[in-house]
């Protein structure tokens, strides 16, 4: 069987791709791999695309594993070949082909999503064991409806898999308190690049555990994660307030994220928007939380510039809490924030509705075609030291007309991130900012083209490099080992050593373009 697969991809060039006759042989391959799941060489469309919509490739086969055993069999088969690679695909929401394998095997981890769901109590704490291929939105719904529990740390959008976000970091407005999702996991089951099935945690196989968290899929395929949970609140008061000055916005946001637990909001994020009425994707209309809420521009100070800033916060509460208790807690905190008077928007929604808030965006974007259009997104971590310079040049000048979608900016705390994981952060300081430029290329008349956004992203990164800003790309995308070395900086040797230990042939996650496949040791 291996010889059969090898014939397809000798040089990884188009001539070595499988012919239709060869594809017809797939039932034989399936038989020799003895998978419980499926293997498909004909209809691999899903595996050659991602949410970014800028890269396509043709994999050899799309495999839908049924179990860790299946995953291990496929990885072992690839190890025995001279050049096959294996990409785990979560929900394919990468931007730059990170979950692809050109001419290789793509494993659709969604097929394993039902394998695990169990609440576990350990050392006085509560966790839920979930599959690497599970969608966070399903984890949320089951945890809340069956146990009234919920993970503590989220992403803004939940149509992403557990394995996909844990391979990066998983960041949202709760990360200032609990750290990213990678810091809210107690144990993983991982299939390494050698095809070994290993359980790992802080004490057992700890190098694999910390390596896999934020490891860009380089060290193993996550088949189970033990995720920390807490009692789920019933309700959320969701609030947006507007600032004219970046300095005021950052001072308030930093004050909130450095307050002790119980003395701040439960969620803190922020975004930049264009100071313009007639821009539905970038301007004033993006701020109100309810269509009935008006945006009163007469409140904006005359001194305001091309962009304004919105601080977005939320407070959890129970239905049994007296309304005056919630009002008091919210008003006490808001009273300390110096936002533009009366520029406040608020709604009360259920906790599940709040966490699924981006689902509404997905539904309408699918309806108008935006979801399937290219998304040249740029995500970065920028240190507090340099965020004012970033604002002055990037937000106020380069992006004064927006990106055709959200431009997030909010502070995070380094002490909540575990330096033993593989995630790369800016070099200095306790506070750094997440910056996410999430442009959509359709359907508004003013929407920028994909080409424009790509070149704008390059200019922004170049500006940061030229000016010596302390930053790292989040969801990084580089083409050469040299660039990756620079990205990881002093962590590079640890990253490369972990690769040697757990995936010495560089079988896994070839779409990240970090290591080249080695034919044999
Ligand atoms: P994929 O894109 O399928 O895979 C990503 C990488 O992980 C690939 O290298 C793949 O090989 C690897 N991988 C996938 N599954 C596994 C596994 N089981 N084991 C090991 N490796 C695996 N990120 C945030 O942090 N916060 C946000 O708020 C946020 N919002 C987003 C909103 C949208 C609409 C989109 C499109 C993305 C968002 N992201 C956010 C980014 C997102 O976290 C990453 O793109 C993530 O990788 C997507 O998960 P996925 O399941 O689609 O992974």
């Amino acid at each position: 069987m291996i010889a059969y697969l090898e014939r397809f991809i000798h040089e990884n060039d188009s001539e070595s791709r499988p012919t239709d006759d060869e594809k017809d042989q797939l039932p034989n391959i399936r038989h020799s791999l003895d998978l419980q799941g499926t293997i498909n060489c004909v209809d691999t469309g899903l595996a050659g695309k991602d949410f970014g919509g800028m890269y396509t490739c043709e994999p050899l086969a799309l495999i839908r594993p049924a179990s860790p055993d299946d995953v291990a069999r496929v990885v072992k088969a690839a190890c025995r070949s001279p050049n096959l690679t294996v990409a785990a695909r979560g929900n394919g929401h990468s931007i730059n082909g990170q979950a692809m394998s050109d001419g290789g095997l793509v494993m659709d981890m969604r097929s394993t999503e039902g394998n695990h769901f169990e609440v576990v109590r350990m050392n006085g704490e509560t966790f839920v064991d979930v599959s690497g291929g599970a969608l966070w939105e399903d984890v949320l719904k089951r945890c809340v409806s069956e146990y009234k529990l919920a993970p503590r740390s989220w992403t803004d959008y939940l149509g992403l898999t557990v394995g996909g976000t844990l391979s990066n970091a998983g960041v949202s407005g709760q990360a200032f308190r609990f750290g990213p999702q990678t810091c809210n996991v107690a144990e993983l089951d991982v299939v390494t690049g050698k095809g070994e099935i290993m359980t790992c945690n802080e004490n057992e196989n700890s190098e694999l555990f910390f390596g896999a968290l934020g490891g860009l899929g380089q060290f193993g395929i996550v088949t189970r994660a033990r995720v920390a949970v807490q009692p789920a609140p019933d309700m959320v008061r969701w609030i947006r307030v507007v600032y004219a000055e970046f300095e005021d916005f950052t001072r308030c946001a930093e004050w909130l994220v450095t307050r002790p637990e119980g003395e701040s909001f439960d969620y803190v994020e922020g975004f930049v928007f264009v100071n313009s009425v007639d821009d539905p994707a970038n301007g004033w209309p993006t701020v109100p939380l309810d269509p009935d809420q008006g945006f009163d521009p007469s409140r904006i100070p005359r001194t305001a510039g091309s962009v304004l800033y919105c601080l977005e916060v939320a407070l959890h509460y129970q239905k049994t809490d007296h309304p005056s208790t919630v009002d008091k807690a919210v008003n006490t905190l808001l009273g300390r924030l110096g936002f533009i008077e009366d520029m406040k928007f608020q709604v009360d929604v259920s906790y599940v509705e709040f966490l699924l808030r981006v689902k509404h965006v997905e539904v309408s974007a699918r309806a108008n075609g935006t979801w399937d259009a290219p998304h040249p997104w740029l995500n970065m971590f920028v240190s507090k030291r340099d965020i004012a310079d970033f604002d002055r040049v990037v937000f106020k000048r380069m992006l004064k007309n927006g990106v055709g979608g959200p431009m997030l900016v909010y502070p995070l705390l380094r002490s909540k991130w575990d330096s033993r994981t593989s995630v790369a952060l800016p070099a200095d300081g306790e506070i750094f900012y997440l910056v996410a430029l999430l442009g959509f290329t359709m359907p508004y008349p003013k929407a920028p083209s994909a080409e424009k956004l790509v070149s704008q992203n390059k200019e922004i990164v170049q500006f940061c490099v030229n000016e010596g800003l302390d930053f790292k790309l989040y969801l990084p995308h580089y083409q050469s080992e040299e660039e990756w070395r620079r990205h990881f900086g002093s962590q590079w040797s640890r990253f490369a050593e972990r690769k040697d230990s757990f995936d010495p042939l560089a079988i896994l996650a070839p779409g990240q373009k970090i290591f080249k496949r080695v034919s044999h040791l």
Side-chain angles (χ1 to χ4, degrees):
M1 184 280 305
I2 294 305
Y4 184 88
L5 284 177
E6 280 168 12
R7 271 199 291 136
F8 288 157
I9 44 137
H10 282 309
E11 300 301 327
N12 235 11
D13 62 16
S14 54
E15 284 172 11
S16 63
R17 293 200 188 291
T19 63
D20 287 347
D21 280 352
E22 285 170 323
K23 286 178 180 176
D24 288 345
Q25 299 290 324
L26 269 173
N28 298 341
I29 300 181
R30 179 168 188 256
H31 182 71
S32 36
L33 264 176
D34 196 19
L35 298 179
Q36 289 169 273
T38 63
I39 177 165
N40 189 335
C41 202
V42 181
D43 181 14
T44 58
L46 169 84
K49 297 189 236 169
D50 65 14
F51 182 80
M54 293 176 296
Y55 289 76
T56 52
C57 75
E58 201 186 327
L60 174 63
L62 175 62
I63 292 156
R64 294 201 162 88
S67 62
D69 256 0
D70 274 3
V71 175
R73 275 167 205 267
V74 171
V75 173
K76 280 185 183 153
C79 288
R80 291 192 295 268
S81 87
N83 49 10
L84 266 183
T85 55
V86 177
R89 186 181 197 276
N91 208 23
H93 278 50
S94 290
I95 299 300
N96 296 294
Q98 286 96 330
M100 295 183 193
S101 172
D102 199 9
L105 308 174
V106 173
M107 217 142 8
D108 177 8
M109 297 304 290
R110 293 283 309 279
S111 60
T112 66
E113 61 193 352
N115 287 4
H116 299 278
F117 187 85
E118 191 184 350
V119 169
V120 181
R121 310 214 190 256
M122 220 173 61
N123 308 330
E125 286 187 72
T126 312
F127 300 87
V128 61
D129 277 1
V130 291
S131 303
L135 289 184
W136 283 108
E137 63 185 42
D138 295 329
V139 172
L140 168 71
K141 286 176 196 161
R142 282 197 72 177
C143 280
V144 172
S145 67
E146 294 176 28
Y147 297 96
K148 214 174 176 306
L149 293 170
R152 308 183 297 198
S153 187
W154 291 99
T155 47
D156 295 345
Y157 168 70
L158 306 189
L160 310 167
T161 64
V162 169
T165 68
L166 292 182
S167 297
N168 287 292
V171 187
S172 185
Q174 306 81 11
F176 78 90
R177 176 161 305 147
F178 297 112
Q181 291 180 316
T182 40
C183 293
N184 288 276
V185 174
E187 187 168 280
L188 299 173
D189 282 348
V190 171
V191 177
T192 69
K194 298 177 189 168
E196 302 156 321
I197 302 175
M198 292 172 83
T199 297
C200 56
N201 54 45
E202 196 173 6
N203 304 312
E204 187 186 348
N205 300 314
S206 59
E207 277 300 299
L208 179 60
F209 179 66
F210 290 116
L213 293 169
L216 307 173
Q218 294 304 303
F219 312 113
I221 297 177
V222 175
T223 56
R224 176 186 64 95
R226 179 163 290 177
V227 177
V229 289
Q230 63 182 9
D234 298 322
M235 298 293 294
V236 166
R237 181 159 298 174
W238 178 14
I239 304 155
R240 288 178 177 170
V241 293
V242 175
Y243 292 80
E245 302 299 331
F246 190 63
E247 202 188 334
D248 297 337
F249 164 78
T250 52
R251 193 183 54 251
C252 292
E254 290 177 18
W255 181 74
L256 285 172
V257 301
T258 49
R259 306 274 299 157
E261 190 167 352
E263 296 178 29
S264 186
F265 288 105
D266 296 297
Y267 162 101
V268 178
E269 284 203 8
F271 61 92
V272 183
F273 64 101
V274 177
N275 190 3
S276 155
V277 64
D278 63 348
D279 188 340
N282 303 282
W284 300 343
T286 59
V287 180
L289 287 164
D290 184 296
D292 293 339
Q293 296 170 342
F295 186 98
D296 178 3
S298 69
R299 297 275 168 197
I300 302 171
R302 293 209 177 151
T303 50
S306 53
V307 294
L308 300 170
Y309 308 92
C310 180
L311 184 62
E312 181 176 77
V313 293
L315 190 81
H316 296 168
Y317 64 93
Q318 302 297 354
K319 281 185 185 149
T320 49
D321 290 337
H322 197 277
S324 66
T325 319
V326 182
D327 291 346
K328 191 173 165 215
V330 168
N331 291 338
T332 305
L333 286 168
L334 291 183
R336 298 288 301 270
L337 306 180
F339 53 92
I340 302 173
E341 208 182 332
D342 287 342
M343 273 281 178
K344 182 184 103 175
F345 306 87
Q346 107 180 12
V347 288
D348 289 86
V349 290
S350 78
Y351 174 67
V352 170
E353 214 180 316
F354 175 70
L355 287 177
L356 292 178
R357 63 199 178 279
V358 183
K359 191 81 188 168
H360 303 294
V361 178
E362 176 182 352
V363 170
S364 52
R366 280 194 192 280
N368 66 25
T370 323
W371 200 255
D372 296 320
H375 301 97
W377 288 4
L378 179 65
N379 289 270
M380 318 170 77
F381 297 131
V382 180
S383 86
K384 169 183 158 77
R385 186 193 79 186
D386 295 326
I387 197 67
D389 283 345
F390 189 92
D391 168 64
R392 188 172 45 78
V393 176
V394 178
F395 288 136
K396 285 198 173 73
R397 285 193 227 151
M398 294 165 91
L399 303 181
K400 65 176 188 294
N401 297 320
V403 294
M407 300 188 285
L408 307 185
V409 56
Y410 57 88
L412 297 163
L413 304 179
R414 179 188 300 276
S415 52
K416 303 288 180 179
W417 295 60
D418 192 325
S419 61
R420 295 171 293 180
T421 67
S422 297
V423 188
L425 297 181
D428 291 323
E430 164 68 350
I431 297 180
F432 62 94
Y433 278 75
L434 175 108
V435 172
L437 307 177
L438 312 177
F440 283 78
T441 50
M442 287 169 62
Y444 308 105
K446 281 186 174 176
S449 67
E451 294 72 26
K452 168 148 195 254
L453 287 178
V454 169
S455 73
Q456 191 169 263
N457 290 345
K458 282 190 186 147
E459 273 175 48
I460 292 167
V461 174
Q462 202 52 53
F463 158 75
C464 295
V465 171
N466 293 348
E467 296 303 310
L469 265 52
D470 182 16
F471 80 102
K472 292 288 177 199
L473 291 189
Y474 174 49
L475 312 167
H477 161 57
Y478 292 110
Q479 299 290 342
S480 68
E481 187 178 307
E482 195 192 326
E483 289 170 305
W484 280 110
R485 278 176 185 267
R486 214 174 302 133
H487 173 75
F488 283 107
S490 59
Q491 291 174 36
W492 170 257
S493 54
R494 183 182 71 181
F495 197 81
E497 279 162 25
R498 285 172 171 170
K499 188 71 174 175
D500 271 351
S501 303
F502 302 114
D503 182 22
L505 296 176
I507 303 278
L508 299 176
Q512 300 280 5
K513 299 192 169 62
I514 307 176
F515 299 99
K516 285 210 171 64
R517 173 72 163 91
V518 178
S519 56
H520 51 79
L521 289 177

